Amino acid sequence: MKLDAKIPAGPLAEKWGKHKFNLKLVNPANKRKYDVIVVGTGLAGASAAATLGELGYNVKAFCFQDSPRRAHSIAAQGGINAAKNYQNDGDSVYRLFYDTIKGGDYRAREGNVHRLAEVSVNIIDQCVAQGVPFAREYGGLLDNRSFGGSQVSRTFYARGQTGQQLLLGAYSALNRQIHKGKVKMYTRSEMLDVVTIDGHAKGIITRNLTTGEIDTHTGHAVLLCTGGYGNVFYLSTNAIGSNVTAAWRAHKRGALFANPCYTQIHPTCIPVTGDHQSKLTLMSESLRNDGRVWAPKTVETAEKMRKGQLKASDVKEEDRDYFLERKYPSFGNLVPRDVASRNAKEMVDDNRGVGGSGIAVFLDFADAIKRLGQPAVAAKYGNLFDMYYQITNEDPYTQPMRIYPAVHYTMGGLWVDYNLMTTVPGLYALGECNFSDHGANRLGASALMQGLADGYFVIPYTLGDYLATIGPKPVDANHPAFAQTKTEVIERINKLLALKGTKTVNEYHRDLGHIMWEYCGMARTEEGLTKAKGLIAALKVDFWKNALVMGANEEMNASLERAGRVADFIELGELMVDDALMRKESCGGHFRLESQTEEGEALRDDENFLFVGAWQFKGENQPEELHKEELIFETVHPSQRSYK
């Protein structure tokens, strides 16, 4: 299979403009003849559904929550990037493009990333028009703050609730189209498969999570906007319901899965406290604007702190190691997430971790409070400080936060071309569901930017090109492919319900998470990944023998829902390990201990691995086939990434 990314020819800054002109159009009178399915109603899905409805298409939107407002996009805290240069500090579209390419360790496409930087400036205007309450300076202009991997302030924010406010903006636009009758909303509906006819996506199979009813839905195109797969690690910052099922079932229908091993570990999360936890809580990267990360300089000091013999406030300045400021003087505490995470791990591995478990470092606001005053710090980060206090019963105004890295975002996903189409014609992937814009590491405040860029400003153009090609002939709901796919979905459900073993699905999920975190987490080795491959294979066999799935299909059945999702996670875990084993280099969030510089930084191998690794499903229990999309850099030439 030859992967054609369909990147337009010509100068980088002109690619998107020329491409839009060359795309086929659907005239307004014909748009009402097309049905478009949108799965997922977070930022990417809600913005896409609202925009396509506004254009005149008939949209069917699906989410497994009881409301689009509950999409995981709501959890994003710190901000959204845009190259508006309001601070007059040297920002530009090109600088945002460059920072994103470099931040992704030169493993993303130039064309896609430059387009993202271009449309970022429109996103802010769109959201302001919707009433999103971005923070403003005293003079009334929109405020900006800094995020990791950048030396300019380009991150727009709404206190520590940016994702929530942006989602409410997209939700209001979506509701307008629902009221007009252009979008039909299906809540509490989980997509379980894609229906293809002659190789083209023509519909989906869903399960009503309240009644268990299995339904078929037709469409001229299917847009997957279902987020990332971080919950393969069990403990992550993702919502508990976040899963890979929609993308994975599409993968089994022919959509290639790209770069699955690229996982982002976020450095500022509240540390794990025990096996009782079902998820982890993120402390926004924006806190690193004013918080200083440190660990004790000596093991002796750290041991006293772990035993409760010494408080953080008792540790003298000369006994503290502000390790990010020491190692990376140019960027300090605002190095990219992968760099900050690995350095925090080094402190803990060096036995200089803090807290009762010793698996944490400090994020200290004493200097900022002294410099700015507590009211000013509270105005910026108050809700985040309150959240930390509610979870830990520790006051971050008077003592440092304890933080440690945790799984947050996945840069891998369904392979898409420049038009956001997967290798299945008519099947698109938007937002975190695809692999396209972040390379091996996502810079902070870029997820919201990509989701809204894809939904508001990319898919409305590129989808029309495909629809104009296939024509508006209605999709035949009685085509045998719908009945066949529905039958296969029911058979899988019955196979899960037949599992009457002794071990809960949740236990299998936790076991998978332990394997993934231990061997495919922040640091990976050939030996560890090989061991993980065997452990996951054994776990998969055991799951289909000894898992316990209770209840029936024709009811609300959380046990059945989770069983299907965990079964998919186990299969995905196998592919992630295979991808990590194949990529014998370090890049961004993929850190192979065998491939590092003398200073312990990620060491790429551009000669052998300057490509996107896209995997093709070849059948149940069969090895997947690797396809390579070579990455071509015409504008930015890959170099050793440095933030010193």
Side-chain angles (χ1 to χ4, degrees):
M1 179 185 296
K2 180 174 173 54
L3 294 175
D4 181 7
K6 296 185 172 66
I7 305 295
L12 186 64
E14 298 176 10
K15 289 182 186 293
W16 177 230
K18 288 184 176 180
H19 188 65
K20 285 190 291 185
F21 179 76
N22 290 326
L23 291 170
K24 295 184 179 69
L25 298 176
V26 177
N27 82 58
N30 280 343
K31 284 174 181 164
R32 69 177 73 101
K33 300 175 183 177
Y34 290 97
D35 297 325
V36 180
I37 290 172
V38 177
V39 185
T41 50
L43 284 182
S47 59
T51 307
L52 294 172
E54 184 74 38
L55 286 171
Y57 296 107
N58 305 309
V59 180
K60 304 173 187 176
F62 297 81
C63 70
F64 63 70
Q65 300 94 343
D66 59 352
S67 165
R69 293 185 313 244
R70 298 192 189 277
H72 182 60
S73 300
I74 206 169
Q77 299 166 339
I80 176 171
N81 288 331
K84 279 188 167 292
N85 195 31
Y86 281 175
Q87 300 294 319
N88 199 27
D89 58 358
D91 199 14
S92 64
V93 167
Y94 186 85
R95 189 174 293 277
L96 175 53
F97 154 74
Y98 173 79
D99 287 345
T100 306
I101 286 284
K102 176 184 175 183
D105 220 349
Y106 305 95
R107 290 294 178 265
R109 295 180 188 141
E110 282 190 339
N112 282 70
V113 176
H114 197 277
R115 176 175 65 186
L116 179 64
E118 283 179 65
V119 304
S120 71
V121 297
N122 300 327
I123 295 171
I124 303 304
D125 297 337
Q126 171 94 356
C127 294
V128 168
Q130 291 174 337
V132 173
F134 286 119
R136 293 180 181 269
E137 296 177 325
Y138 179 74
L141 297 176
L142 296 183
D143 196 12
N144 291 113
R145 57 189 178 199
S146 300
F147 256 63
S150 169
Q151 290 178 305
V152 298
S153 295
R154 64 161 67 101
T155 304
F156 295 78
Y157 64 98
R159 210 176 181 191
Q161 310 164 359
T162 314
Q164 179 181 12
Q165 299 302 332
L166 290 172
L167 184 63
L168 289 173
Y171 176 65
S172 66
L174 176 62
N175 262 348
R176 180 171 181 270
Q177 297 307 316
I178 294 172
H179 180 71
K180 288 176 64 177
K182 295 307 295 179
V183 175
K184 185 172 183 181
M185 190 70 226
Y186 296 83
T187 58
R188 303 294 293 158
S189 297
E190 181 171 26
M191 179 194 131
L192 295 181
D193 217 332
V194 177
V195 180
T196 60
I197 298 176
D198 298 328
H200 288 241
K202 294 297 181 184
I204 61 172
I205 309 295
T206 63
R207 179 177 181 270
N208 185 305
L209 298 184
T210 303
T211 66
E213 185 177 356
I214 309 299
D215 293 314
T216 60
H217 302 273
T218 63
H220 291 89
V222 176
L223 279 55
L224 299 185
C225 312
T226 51
Y229 49 88
N231 276 347
V232 69
F233 290 87
Y234 184 70
L235 286 181
S236 80
T237 65
N238 291 190
I240 294 175
S242 298
N243 63 83
V244 77
T245 288
W248 191 251
R249 304 292 171 82
H251 174 55
K252 288 189 165 185
R253 292 292 176 187
L256 268 57
F257 210 104
N259 298 336
C261 77
Y262 287 169
T263 306
Q264 181 178 83
I265 313 292
H266 198 295
T268 51
C269 298
I270 298 178
V272 178
T273 57
D275 278 345
H276 63 282
Q277 283 182 271
S278 57
K279 77 176 298 294
L280 297 174
T281 303
L282 171 70
M283 289 287 101
S284 170
E285 181 175 314
S286 63
L287 294 172
R288 290 196 275 146
N289 272 278
D290 291 302
R292 300 180 69 192
V293 181
W294 65 274
K297 275 189 177 177
T298 66
V299 174
E300 292 75 22
T301 303
E303 285 179 346
K304 287 181 180 179
M305 299 185 79
R306 291 194 289 268
K307 293 176 181 177
Q309 298 171 354
L310 199 64
K311 295 181 180 178
S313 57
D314 297 330
V315 180
K316 297 178 181 178
E317 195 72 11
E318 58 266 27
D319 294 328
R320 302 180 178 194
D321 181 8
Y322 294 96
F323 52 92
L324 295 179
E325 298 172 35
R326 169 174 57 83
K327 295 179 67 174
Y328 308 98
S330 292
F331 284 76
N333 293 297
L334 286 171
V335 292
R337 292 172 178 179
D338 61 319
V339 177
S341 295
R342 281 196 295 274
N343 277 273
K345 182 179 185 297
E346 283 180 18
M347 295 299 109
V348 170
D349 291 348
D350 198 28
N351 204 24
R352 290 195 280 149
V354 298
S357 67
I359 306 178
V361 294
F362 285 131
L363 183 61
D364 197 334
F365 290 86
D367 283 358
I369 292 172
K370 183 178 180 180
R371 184 179 74 253
L372 304 171
Q374 184 169 318
V377 173
K380 282 184 173 182
Y381 312 114
N383 63 311
L384 299 171
F385 278 44
D386 291 344
M387 186 163 60
Y388 182 86
Y389 176 75
Q390 293 294 331
I391 292 171
T392 66
N393 198 32
E394 298 171 7
D395 181 8
Y397 291 107
T398 59
Q399 61 188 100
M401 289 183 178
R402 290 176 297 105
I403 59 167
Y404 195 67
V407 172
H408 178 57
Y409 187 91
T410 50
M411 286 74 68
L414 294 179
W415 185 91
V416 293
D417 62 18
Y418 192 69
N419 294 329
L420 305 184
M421 191 188 288
T422 69
T423 46
V424 176
L427 179 66
Y428 293 80
L430 285 65
E432 191 180 357
C433 185
N434 74 35
F435 87 100
S436 65
D437 291 358
H438 307 297
N441 172 58
R442 177 175 71 78
L443 289 186
S446 291
L448 305 182
M449 177 173 61
Q450 187 208 346
L452 292 179
D454 287 354
Y456 281 139
F457 298 111
V458 178
I459 199 67
Y461 288 95
T462 60
L463 177 64
D465 184 69
Y466 170 74
L467 296 178
T469 301
I470 64 169
K473 182 181 178 182
V475 178
D476 182 10
N478 295 316
H479 192 283
F482 284 93
Q484 176 62 30
T485 309
K486 182 177 180 179
T487 298
E488 291 171 9
V489 167
I490 293 171
E491 287 174 351
R492 181 179 173 85
I493 288 173
N494 290 335
K495 184 179 178 182
L496 288 167
L497 288 170
L499 295 173
K500 300 301 178 187
T502 58
K503 190 172 176 180
T504 67
V505 170
N506 204 48
E507 289 178 272
Y508 281 104
H509 195 181
R510 185 183 288 113
D511 289 347
L512 174 65
H514 281 311
I515 296 168
M516 296 300 296
W517 180 251
E518 183 68 25
Y519 303 110
C520 199
M522 274 194 284
R524 304 161 181 188
T525 65
E526 185 94 15
E527 180 184 5
L529 290 165
T530 302
K531 182 177 180 181
K533 188 172 172 64
L535 290 172
I536 297 173
L539 188 73
K540 181 179 179 180
V541 171
D542 194 62
F543 175 90
W544 288 105
K545 284 183 179 179
N546 298 318
L548 172 61
V549 181
M550 297 175 287
N553 178 61
E554 291 74 22
E555 61 181 359
M556 185 181 289
N557 189 341
S559 177
L560 175 60
E561 291 171 35
R562 171 154 277 195
R565 295 169 188 171
V566 171
D568 292 334
F569 274 139
I570 291 172
E571 294 179 0
L572 169 66
E574 289 184 294
L575 184 60
M576 289 174 70
V577 168
D578 284 341
D579 192 47
L581 269 169
M582 174 276 296
R583 194 167 284 277
K584 299 179 188 296
E585 66 162 353
S586 292
C587 54
H590 169 62
F591 193 72
R592 287 285 294 264
L593 289 179
E594 304 95 335
S595 183
Q596 53 183 308
T597 67
E598 292 180 359
E599 297 174 319
E601 304 294 344
L603 181 62
R604 296 193 320 273
D605 179 356
D606 291 340
E607 185 177 345
N608 295 304
F609 293 98
L610 198 63
F611 62 79
V612 174
W615 297 86
Q616 182 181 9
F617 180 74
K618 303 297 287 185
E620 298 292 344
N621 299 311
Q622 299 297 316
E624 299 217 359
E625 182 181 350
L626 175 66
H627 301 273
K628 300 178 182 180
E629 178 203 334
E630 302 297 332
L631 290 170
I632 300 170
F633 291 91
E634 299 175 340
T635 306
V636 177
H637 299 290
S639 60
Q640 176 60 39
R641 195 167 57 135
S642 174
Y643 292 92
K644 294 186 181 298

